[in-house]
Amino acid sequence: MPYFYGMKTFEDKIMSYSNGPTPILDANLPLKSYVPIDLSVNNPDLELLNIADPEVCQSYVERVLQSKGGKIAYGGYLEKRNLYGDKANFSDGNTSRRDIHLGIDFWCAAGTKVMVPVDGVVHSFKNNANIGDYGPTIILKHEIDNIIFYTLYGHLSLSSLEGLTIGREFKKGDVLATLGTPDINVNYAPHLHFQIIKDLGDFFGDYPGVCSHENLDFYRENCPDPNLLLKIGS
């Protein structure tokens, strides 16, 4: 059954869940260690870099972290990126290129713990192992004041799926998973892809994390800014 709500009502509900910033990675990493990163096509620092190469991307992430004194680089909601330029499956039909990012990425070391930011239960999970996909992925289902929505966690370790069961409950602050390595998260530098989804439709253990310009209006409505919930940097 699909769930559609007025955007203002939905935004208000998820914004009111917490009063301040909510960490989504290892609780031992303080909020001050989260620093913003720009991986958009508008960043001049990336013009001469093959950012789609995981080693090049990791090197750039490390430079940003070092320059800003951080441990976690985050950002990317609705960013138009060249990160997917070498991946043949990032197209809609013959001409439309999927290059607009629908979640927030948190770039950090492989093995870093992923924390649950809002009470929920496991809806589904899967290893999306095609090159350029999420690799191991978990989707949680949530309900706040009778509004149902979902959160997706991609680029996890294989061990994150071991022993997991549909319907398992997680509370805010629980450890859900750990970040995977490039060979497991299918050719990306280690990071968490975190996305909010209002209507999951028939998807199971997967949902588009990148869209084309032609489909942006739909996905922007269905996948609101995750930072409304997390409030990182606010």
Side-chain angles (χ1 to χ4, degrees), residues 4 35 64 79 94 106 108 115 124 163:
F4 287 107
V35 298
V64 171
E79 256 184 7
N94 296 323
F106 295 86
C108 195
M115 317 295 289
S124 53

Side-chain angles (χ1 to χ4, degrees), residues 28-102:
N28 292 318
L29 295 172
L31 286 165
K32 65 181 180 180
S33 68
Y34 288 68
V35 298
I37 189 170
D38 179 4
L39 294 178
S40 75
V41 296
N42 299 317
N43 183 352
D45 291 342
L46 304 182
E47 287 182 0
L48 300 180
L49 298 181
N50 179 16
I51 200 65
D53 183 309
E55 293 185 1
V56 173
C57 184
Q58 179 63 37
S59 177
Y60 180 72
V61 170
E62 289 174 355
R63 281 164 46 198
V64 171
L65 290 174
Q66 184 176 18
S67 68
K68 297 183 177 182
K71 296 291 186 182
I72 303 164
Y74 74 95
Y77 180 63
L78 299 188
E79 256 184 7
K80 183 179 176 65
R81 294 171 163 180
N82 289 325
L83 191 59
Y84 320 106
D86 64 336
K87 299 168 180 65
N89 55 333
F90 276 72
S91 63
D92 291 336
N94 296 323
T95 58
S96 299
R97 190 73 186 166
R98 295 194 298 122
D99 57 6
I100 300 175
H101 191 250
L102 298 171

Side-chain angles (χ1 to χ4, degrees), residues 189-204:
H191 71 288
L192 170 70
H193 173 94
F194 176 68
Q195 185 170 336
I196 292 177
I197 306 161
K198 293 165 68 176
D199 178 11
L200 193 62
D202 295 328
F203 282 93
F204 186 92

Side-chain angles (χ1 to χ4, degrees), residues 6-230:
M7 176 62 91
K8 184 175 187 299
T9 299
F10 184 87
E11 287 185 346
D12 286 346
K13 294 292 186 182
I14 62 174
M15 286 182 68
S16 65
Y17 183 77
S18 62
N19 294 322
T22 300
I24 196 168
L25 294 177
D26 193 332
N28 292 318
L29 295 172
L31 286 165
K32 65 181 180 180
S33 68
Y34 288 68
V35 298
I37 189 170
D38 179 4
L39 294 178
S40 75
V41 296
N42 299 317
N43 183 352
D45 291 342
L46 304 182
E47 287 182 0
L48 300 180
L49 298 181
N50 179 16
I51 200 65
D53 183 309
E55 293 185 1
V56 173
C57 184
Q58 179 63 37
S59 177
Y60 180 72
V61 170
E62 289 174 355
R63 281 164 46 198
V64 171
L65 290 174
Q66 184 176 18
S67 68
K68 297 183 177 182
K71 296 291 186 182
I72 303 164
Y74 74 95
Y77 180 63
L78 299 188
E79 256 184 7
K80 183 179 176 65
R81 294 171 163 180
N82 289 325
L83 191 59
Y84 320 106
D86 64 336
K87 299 168 180 65
N89 55 333
F90 276 72
S91 63
D92 291 336
N94 296 323
T95 58
S96 299
R97 190 73 186 166
R98 295 194 298 122
D99 57 6
I100 300 175
H101 191 250
L102 298 171
I104 291 181
D105 284 336
F106 295 86
W107 304 85
C108 195
T112 301
K113 296 175 182 177
V114 177
M115 317 295 289
V116 175
V118 53
D119 297 354
V121 301
V122 175
H123 169 274
S124 53
F125 54 93
K126 185 170 66 170
N127 184 10
N128 298 290
N130 293 325
I131 294 295
D133 212 319
Y134 292 125
T137 309
I138 299 173
I139 296 177
L140 299 184
K141 180 180 179 180
H142 313 277
E143 183 172 353
I144 298 178
D145 294 337
N146 298 317
I147 290 182
I148 293 175
F149 67 100
Y150 305 85
T151 53
L152 182 149
Y153 309 78
H155 306 295
L156 308 176
S157 64
L158 282 173
S159 61
S160 300
L161 306 186
E162 294 176 0
L164 201 60
T165 56
I166 293 174
R168 178 177 170 182
E169 295 185 5
F170 284 90
K171 295 295 185 181
K172 178 180 179 180
D174 285 349
V175 175
L176 174 68
T178 55
L179 299 186
T181 52
D183 57 319
I184 300 301
N185 74 30
V186 283
N187 213 39
Y188 291 105
H191 71 288
L192 170 70
H193 173 94
F194 176 68
Q195 185 170 336
I196 292 177
I197 306 161
K198 293 165 68 176
D199 178 11
L200 193 62
D202 295 328
F203 282 93
F204 186 92
D206 193 14
Y207 190 83
V210 183
C211 76
S212 64
H213 177 75
E214 289 80 353
N215 293 322
L216 178 58
D217 287 346
F218 169 79
Y219 283 108
R220 178 166 45 198
E221 164 70 19
N222 200 43
C223 302
D225 187 349
N227 217 28
L228 294 172
L229 175 67
L230 299 179

